[in-house]
Each structure stands twice: as structure tokens, then as C-alpha cells.
Amino acid sequence: MISLERLCRKNIWDLAPYSSARNEYAGREARVFLDANENPYNQPFNRYPDPLQLELKAALSKVKGVPAENIFLGNGSDEAIDLPYRCFCNPGKDNVVAIEPTYGMYKVCADINDIEYRPVLLDEQYQFTADRLLAATDTHTKLIWLCTPNNPTGNCLKREEVVKVIEQFEGLVIVDEAYSDFSSQPTFRAELSKYPNLIVLNTMSKAWGCAAIRLGMAFASTEIIGLFNKVKYPYNVNLLTQQQALEALKDPFEVDNWVKVLLQERTRMIDAFEILPICEKVYPTDANFFLAKMTDAPAIYNYLVDKGIIVRNRHRVQLCQNCLRITIGTKTENSELIAALRQF
């Protein structure tokens, strides 16, 4: 791996971060707060939240098996996706490489930050080889994006190929594991101490059922987390989000039960789709959704919209022609979808 200082944008490495009022007395007891120009009334919402979310990180550390100092928390995973561009990629000069198709925000953030985005097409089984991905890199490639289980395809990428990329690429490899709770594959966040160039993303939006609170996380070396904390806005995760996340983390067994039920429903839904005359193929999945190739995806999508049922039309995505992406809902919701499709 190239040294972090060489990978980092010089202005970011030299940046003096904003020091918030809450940072300056961290670690000491305080009773009277007259430092941050806050209104003294309407507690607890009158006070700025903990800028480093220390209590929440301690709780997450126990659940995720990652030391708190190796955790970054952001306003959804989108903030954790944007920060590597802002920290490491020089606009108009550097580039990133990613598999295709995959989650669209990687490219959106590249475009926003004026970074060249180099997609490498997956094969017909929605897999990649490390050699083809690495062949797309050059001396200005700072990041490689890998989503596993992948969105919109649903499948896990071959672990040995992911490892090969991490071991051979001199820049940073970002593995997005948003859907890992639905997969039996081991997570890469357990490999952080082995790979200093690895960043692993996760979220509270999927298995944890907390999409509304917008809490994403990145796991990485303390040095990378330090750069993220330097660049992020001071109070990026609000108090209500922190409180709700702490409440959710009190009962991880409920989440395990949700996942178990969703996986059972996933099997039932795939079985039902495979015998639909309008379904040509259901692709293997390790997520809480599956990709199905239909006879006429746009027409079926519009028909479902008229019925008040919303799925994701992926017809215009590369390698996904005539495909719909189906999220696993409740048993009632799933049955309503199947009943509607049987009438198409």
C-alpha cells in the first residue's frame, strides 16, 4: 500500500479541522454550558450532540466486533461514500474503479467531486476477476469500489477475488457490506487489522430497519478514521439519530429474528417467481432482495404501479435488461405482489 500521506490530498492532510465547543472539554466533567451559544431552554434538544458519537460507537463496537476507534458514523452510508473522494481524490486528476452494475451513489459522488469513474463490467454470472479490475487502474487510481452482496444483482462477489484486489492494489479498497446481514459469508470488517488499505461500509438502514434515522458506518484503520473525522461536518449525526440507534442496539436478537423471517420469505418469493409465466429467470441472491428477468419489465413495472405496488425497474441498467429488483416485504405485501403478477 502507498503511504496514507501520499494517497491523501495535500490540502486535507494539512487541514486544521474545525474544533467544536464539545471537542475542547472532552474527557472532563462539566455542569454549566455557556460555550456554544445554545439556548438554555428546551432540554435535551437545545444542546449540540456528541460530535464523535462516543456512546453509540461503544455500543456498536460490541455488536460489530470492531474497536470503537475504528468506527466512523455518518449521515447515512452516502456520507461515508462521499468522504473517501473528499479525502483522497484530487478533482480533475485522480480516478476510481468500480464494478458495473453496482450501487449508483459511487458514480454520483465521483461526478460531484469531479473524479473520473471507471466501471468494469461484470460477467453473465454477475462476478468479476481481480485481474480485469486491476487492469483498469493506473497511477492516478485512488479507490476501488466493491459492493458485496452487490446491488442491484444481490449476489456476493467471490471472496478470493476481493482479497486479491485488496492485496495487490496500492490504493484504498472500499467494500460496501450494506446487505451482509442477509448473507452467510463472513464479513470483511474482521480483516481490518490485516489490511490497512481496507474500508468496510455498513448501515442501520437494511437489517436493522432504521432507514429513517440515516445512520451509516465505515470501519477502517484509526488513521483513515482520523481523516474522515477531520473532514466531516462537526455535528453530522444528530441527537435523535444517536438515541434511536442506541435503542435499536439494545435488542440485536430482534434483528436476528427479522432476518430469519425475511430469508424465509425470500425463498418463498423466489419459488413463486420461478413459476410465473412472465418471469424468465431469478438470479441468485445473498441480500434482502432479488433480481428477476421478466418478459417485459417496463410494462410489468407500470402495471404494478397502477396497482399501487412499487418495485424497482432496472431495465436500463447494464446487464439488467428486462429485470425488476424485488425487495422482500412482509408476508402480506409479498403475497399481494404475487397475486397481482399472476393476473398480468
Side-chain angles (χ1 to χ4, degrees), residues 202-227:
N202 207 219
T203 179
M204 294 286 286
S205 295
K206 309 305 179 184
W208 289 84
C210 289
I213 72 173
R214 307 306 301 129
L215 184 67
M217 58 201 81
F219 308 106
S221 69
T222 55
E223 293 79 10
I224 292 174
I225 297 300
L227 287 170

Side-chain angles (χ1 to χ4, degrees), residues 236-295:
N236 62 321
V237 180
N238 68 68
L239 176 65
L240 296 175
T241 292
Q242 294 187 44
Q243 288 177 336
Q244 185 57 41
L246 283 166
E247 190 63 29
L249 289 167
K250 290 178 181 178
D251 193 3
F253 298 108
E254 183 177 28
V255 176
D256 292 340
N257 185 58
W258 291 342
V259 170
K260 181 180 178 181
V261 171
L262 288 170
L263 292 180
Q264 291 171 347
E265 278 296 293
R266 185 180 75 185
T267 299
R268 183 176 77 91
M269 288 289 285
I270 289 174
D271 290 344
F273 259 71
E274 287 179 334
I275 61 175
L276 286 172
I278 58 173
C279 179
E280 296 183 353
K281 181 177 181 178
V282 177
Y283 292 92
T285 181
D286 299 285
N288 68 327
F289 62 86
F290 61 90
L291 194 68
K293 186 171 184 178
M294 313 300 286
T295 54

Side-chain angles (χ1 to χ4, degrees), residues 1 56 85 102 107 123 140 155-156 191 277 288 339:
M1 171 184 174
L56 178 52
Y85 287 103
T102 195
K107 185 179 188 308
D123 63 24
H140 290 292
N155 62 301
C156 280
E191 307 288 335
N288 68 327

Side-chain angles (χ1 to χ4, degrees), residues 2 8 15 43-44 51 55 73 90 98 135-136 150 155 166 178 256 264 278 288 299-300 320 334 336 342:
I2 299 173
C8 189
L15 178 69
Q43 294 187 9
E55 183 182 2
L73 298 181
N90 291 285
N150 190 28
N155 62 301
I166 298 170
D256 292 340
Q264 291 171 347
I278 58 173
N288 68 327
I300 296 168
C320 298
N334 298 333
E336 187 173 349
R342 286 172 178 160

Side-chain angles (χ1 to χ4, degrees), residues 18-23 25 33-53 233-240 242-243:
Y18 176 78
S19 180
S20 72
R22 294 296 176 262
N23 286 125
Y25 74 88
F33 298 94
L34 304 175
D35 58 332
N37 301 335
E38 300 157 325
N39 189 321
Y41 305 109
N42 195 36
Q43 294 187 9
F45 306 113
N46 61 325
R47 300 299 181 190
Y48 287 109
D50 176 6
L52 293 177
Q53 312 95 29
Y233 293 116
Y235 304 107
N236 62 321
V237 180
N238 68 68
L239 176 65
L240 296 175
Q242 294 187 44
Q243 288 177 336

